[in-house]
Amino acid sequence: MTVWNEVMLYFSLVPKDIRKILFVLRDISAKRNITLAEYYIKTYRHLIPDGVEILEYDTTTNTVYPVYNKKIYTKKRTVFYKTMRFSYMCFSIR
């Protein structure tokens, strides 16, 4: 979760006219019966800046699920963070 919080800090520094996407692997907690992204949103919603979209990728069905969408961008530039467990990469598409 601390890496995701760091990503949200970076997203808060990105200009508002740029699309911001957090792309994570879908992982369902048997204990809570919710996905990791849903748990993050429930717990850390106050850290998610405006304009962030959170998408989950299910490897078993090869499907992407939109989990959180707080759009306020206007241009077609994108900042994309892909997280896999504890690492992340930044892609900028112009």
Side-chain angles (χ1 to χ4, degrees):
M1 293 289 143
T2 57
V3 172
W4 291 19
N5 291 342
E6 185 180 352
V7 170
M8 293 305 151
L9 172 66
Y10 296 147
F11 278 158
S12 70
L13 301 174
V14 174
K16 293 188 186 280
D17 63 336
I18 295 177
R19 188 174 179 191
K20 297 170 274 291
I21 300 171
L22 179 68
F23 192 83
V24 297
L25 290 177
R26 186 175 179 90
D27 185 27
I28 300 175
S29 167
K31 179 181 174 183
R32 294 185 181 92
N33 200 26
I34 60 173
T35 66
L36 186 59
E38 291 169 339
Y39 176 77
Y40 182 80
I41 294 164
K42 176 181 156 186
T43 309
Y44 297 101
R45 183 183 300 263
H46 62 283
L47 296 178
I48 303 173
D50 291 339
V52 170
E53 298 173 66
I54 299 177
L55 305 175
E56 287 181 324
Y57 175 68
D58 189 346
T59 55
T60 58
T61 62
N62 291 329
T63 308
V64 175
Y65 299 97
V67 180
Y68 186 81
N69 190 350
K70 200 169 181 183
K71 293 184 187 180
I72 60 163
Y73 57 87
T74 55
K75 295 185 181 177
K76 294 190 179 189
R77 294 186 292 169
T78 301
V79 173
F80 193 124
Y81 279 94
K82 177 182 177 186
T83 67
M84 294 183 136
R85 305 275 180 212
F86 302 106
S87 63
Y88 62 91
M89 300 180 301
C90 175
F91 300 90
S92 180
I93 303 169
R94 295 178 188 225

